[in-house]
Amino acid sequence: AEKVGRLGEEILNTHFECLRIQGKIDNFVWSSEINPISPFDFLLLKLGVPLRRLDAKSTGGVFENPIHLSIGELYEMATGEDIPYDIYRLFEVKESSAKLRIAPDIRPLARTIIQALRALPQGVTSDGVSILPSSLQFEDEIEILVSKD
């Protein structure tokens, strides 16, 4: 899972670099590459100002596989800066390709989950949750092909 997660981030980094070169995005930072404990993986920028935070959730399997969100990610989504937080679901990840669907700004859901976790009995904690993709609103599928060039 860790290898697929890293590969998904590498593919997404290449995808963002292509979008930047094409002028479709202004700039981006691969945050988790700089800081491995960052509560998000990428930061999209416009004129140097943070525009969106996002977490890459990768699987070598199908889109419908559950997505795991750590408690740190949930707290960042729910209480972090007032910047939208997106889930980038990479699936069918391979060395040179992946499929991508984006769930934009899941902060409201994260707030609901955090509120539910706070209602757990005293002494009971959770280190994260798993979410079925069908419970999120995803945009259309994008296919990413990565060449050695």
Side-chain angles (χ1 to χ4, degrees), residues 8-31 41-45 52-56 86 88 90 100 102 142 144 146:
E9 287 185 30
E10 290 172 0
I11 289 171
L12 196 52
N13 182 65
T14 300
H15 177 66
F16 285 146
E17 186 61 33
C18 290
L19 292 177
R20 189 189 61 73
I21 289 167
Q22 296 169 3
K24 294 181 178 176
I25 63 170
D26 188 44
N27 208 351
F28 71 97
V29 175
W30 186 359
S31 305
D41 294 324
F42 290 88
L43 189 60
L44 297 181
L45 307 169
R52 302 190 84 81
R53 298 168 295 160
L54 65 100
D55 202 22
D86 306 330
Y88 277 53
L90 292 113
L100 169 67
I102 301 167
I142 299 167
I144 302 173
V146 179

Side-chain angles (χ1 to χ4, degrees), residues 3-82:
K3 182 180 176 183
V4 171
R6 173 67 185 191
L7 180 58
E9 287 185 30
E10 290 172 0
I11 289 171
L12 196 52
N13 182 65
T14 300
H15 177 66
F16 285 146
E17 186 61 33
C18 290
L19 292 177
R20 189 189 61 73
I21 289 167
Q22 296 169 3
K24 294 181 178 176
I25 63 170
D26 188 44
N27 208 351
F28 71 97
V29 175
W30 186 359
S31 305
S32 63
E33 176 72 0
I34 297 165
N35 176 8
I37 61 169
S38 173
F40 50 89
D41 294 324
F42 290 88
L43 189 60
L44 297 181
L45 307 169
K46 184 164 181 105
L47 302 174
V49 176
L51 187 63
R52 302 190 84 81
R53 298 168 295 160
L54 65 100
D55 202 22
K57 295 297 183 182
S58 303
T59 180
V62 296
F63 172 76
E64 293 81 9
N65 286 348
I67 296 170
H68 180 77
L69 299 175
S70 73
I71 197 73
E73 292 166 339
L74 283 167
Y75 273 108
E76 178 66 22
M77 290 171 198
T79 64
E81 299 176 47
D82 194 25

Side-chain angles (χ1 to χ4, degrees), residues 71 113-129:
I71 197 73
I113 294 169
I114 292 296
Q115 189 174 32
L117 292 175
R118 287 185 177 138
L120 291 172
Q122 186 173 6
V124 177
T125 62
S126 174
D127 61 358
V129 298

